[in-house]
Amino acid sequence: MFGWINDCTEQLVITKFGIEKWHEIKEKAGCSVKDHGFVRHQYYPDSSTVNLVVAASDVLGIPVSGVLEAFGQFFMEFVRKNGYENLLRCQGSTLRLWLSNLNALHDHLQSSLPAGFVAPDCDSVQGSILLHYFSKRGSLLCPLVVVSITMRVVEFSPEIINGTSCYAGRRRVRIYNMADIYE
């Protein structure tokens, strides 16, 4: 994953739990990167990010899924604060358009980041708001994706959320029942 994922993780932990907890997490994860030293456009092995998440779970006493959910929530704010608000806004003026343009968003990121970016594939089903999320990483990021997408859904139409579910297959994550809306 690219350094901005690890940078976001670092900022989340420091903001919510303090620098001392971040140092504990880095030590437990075997991370030798100096504080605020992740290079955002440098590729880091997925294992380094997974190690940070697992260490955060252990140190903070939160399940791994809880760490990823907290990350998903923090990630959306992080993205906005770091210049991607317009990119998010340009993806569509309605929830359906925005969801159907998730691949375009990731294609844009893939073309602007160095080699190594692993983009997911999203499929928005016609007739209802149903999003299928496919990732080479399997279900690893499922809790993060559910929270990130849910936050975006709430921005469009807070009254339509009736829950989210996430089911993971071998290499497929299906997010559904985000809203009971039918055309």
Side-chain angles (χ1 to χ4, degrees):
M1 289 188 213
F2 278 92
W4 62 284
I5 296 294
N6 292 345
D7 181 34
C8 181
T9 303
E10 177 181 15
Q11 289 186 39
L12 165 65
V13 172
I14 291 171
T15 300
K16 302 285 184 186
F17 303 99
I19 191 79
E20 296 80 18
K21 289 291 183 189
W22 176 240
H23 290 157
E24 284 182 57
I25 290 166
K26 282 194 339 182
E27 184 176 339
K28 188 166 188 76
C31 176
S32 60
V33 175
K34 293 180 181 181
D35 290 347
H36 309 290
F38 288 107
V39 178
R40 289 188 180 176
H41 289 108
Q42 178 179 325
Y43 184 80
Y44 294 85
D46 287 356
S47 60
S48 67
T49 305
V50 170
N51 291 344
L52 286 170
V53 169
V54 170
S57 173
D58 290 346
V59 169
L60 302 173
I62 300 170
V64 168
S65 61
V67 172
L68 289 170
E69 289 168 3
F71 180 85
Q73 189 171 22
F74 191 83
F75 178 74
M76 292 306 286
E77 195 56 39
F78 178 82
V79 165
R80 284 187 179 87
K81 287 180 180 176
N82 285 278
Y84 290 92
E85 176 67 28
N86 286 340
L87 184 61
L88 287 174
R89 214 176 285 135
C90 290
Q91 293 309 115
S93 59
T94 67
L95 175 60
R96 185 175 309 285
L97 282 173
W98 191 84
L99 289 172
S100 67
N101 283 317
L102 283 174
N103 285 335
L105 171 73
H106 287 98
D107 288 346
H108 172 76
L109 292 174
Q110 196 159 24
S111 69
S112 62
L113 290 170
F117 179 73
V118 179
D121 183 33
C122 302
D123 182 26
S124 182
V125 177
Q126 291 294 83
S128 66
I129 295 181
L130 179 66
L131 177 70
H132 296 276
Y133 174 86
F134 303 87
S135 174
K136 293 178 181 174
R137 293 183 173 101
S139 63
L140 173 66
L141 300 176
C142 185
L144 179 156
V145 171
V146 168
V147 171
S148 296
I149 296 294
T150 301
M151 289 183 67
R152 196 69 180 136
V153 170
V154 167
E155 290 173 19
F156 279 104
S157 303
E159 72 282 357
I160 66 172
I161 294 294
N162 90 3
T164 59
S165 298
C166 186
Y167 291 88
R170 273 186 57 205
R171 295 191 154 238
R172 171 181 161 181
V173 176
R174 179 180 180 200
I175 301 169
Y176 77 100
N177 198 24
M178 300 194 75
D180 284 337
I181 293 181
Y182 298 91
E183 292 181 329

